[in-house]
Amino acid sequence: MKLIIAVIQDKDSSRLVDALGEENFQTTKLATTGGFLKEGNTTLMIGCEDEYVDEALKVIEDNCSHREQMVAPISPMGGNADSYIPKPVKVEVGGAVVFILPIESFFQF
C-alpha cells in the first residue's frame, strides 16, 4: 500500500477531488500555504494499493494544469517601501508536487 501526498493549487482542488472520486480514490484534503507565492494550496492524502498508483498519478496529472500568473515582486527592503513601485512579473503556477510513501500499516477505528 502507498500514501500519495499531492500538493496542488487551490484552483485545481475541487476538480481533482471530483475526478479522484469518480475513479474510486478516497482523499483527505488539507488546506496549506505555499512558500513561494504565499498563496493557499491544497494538500491531498490518497491511500491506494500499489497497483493503482499509476492510475492515481494519471488523474492528478490530467487535472492539475500549469498556467502563468502575474505577481508583484517583494520590496528589496524586505517590506513595503513607499518609493518602491514593483513591476509585476509572470511566473508559472499550478501543476502538482507529488510524494509517494510506502505504508507499513493501516488502521481504521
Side-chain angles (χ1 to χ4, degrees):
M1 183 167 228
K2 301 287 190 221
L3 175 63
I4 299 172
I5 300 174
V7 182
I8 61 172
Q9 197 172 34
D10 280 343
K11 293 177 183 176
D12 296 326
S13 66
S14 294
R15 182 177 55 249
L16 178 57
V17 169
D18 291 345
L20 287 166
E22 288 173 9
E23 298 295 327
N24 296 317
F25 289 104
Q26 296 181 346
T27 62
T28 298
K29 183 177 171 180
L30 306 171
T32 53
T33 302
F36 175 59
L37 297 176
K38 306 286 190 239
E39 290 184 357
N41 287 332
T42 297
T43 300
L44 297 178
M45 297 190 313
I46 308 155
C48 69
E49 296 297 332
D50 292 359
E51 61 265 22
Y52 298 112
V53 169
D54 289 337
E55 185 180 334
L57 290 174
K58 180 69 174 143
V59 174
I60 294 168
E61 181 181 14
D62 290 346
N63 288 278
C64 295
S65 58
H66 286 277
R67 59 194 153 272
E68 289 185 341
Q69 178 176 322
M70 298 297 285
V71 296
I74 299 171
S75 165
M77 303 257 199
N80 291 335
D82 292 335
S83 63
Y84 179 68
I85 301 173
K87 179 179 178 186
V89 293
K90 227 180 253 190
V91 295
E92 187 174 292
V93 296
V97 175
V98 180
F99 303 91
I100 301 173
L101 308 169
I103 301 300
E104 189 173 309
S105 7
F106 168 74
F107 303 97
Q108 188 171 6
F109 300 106

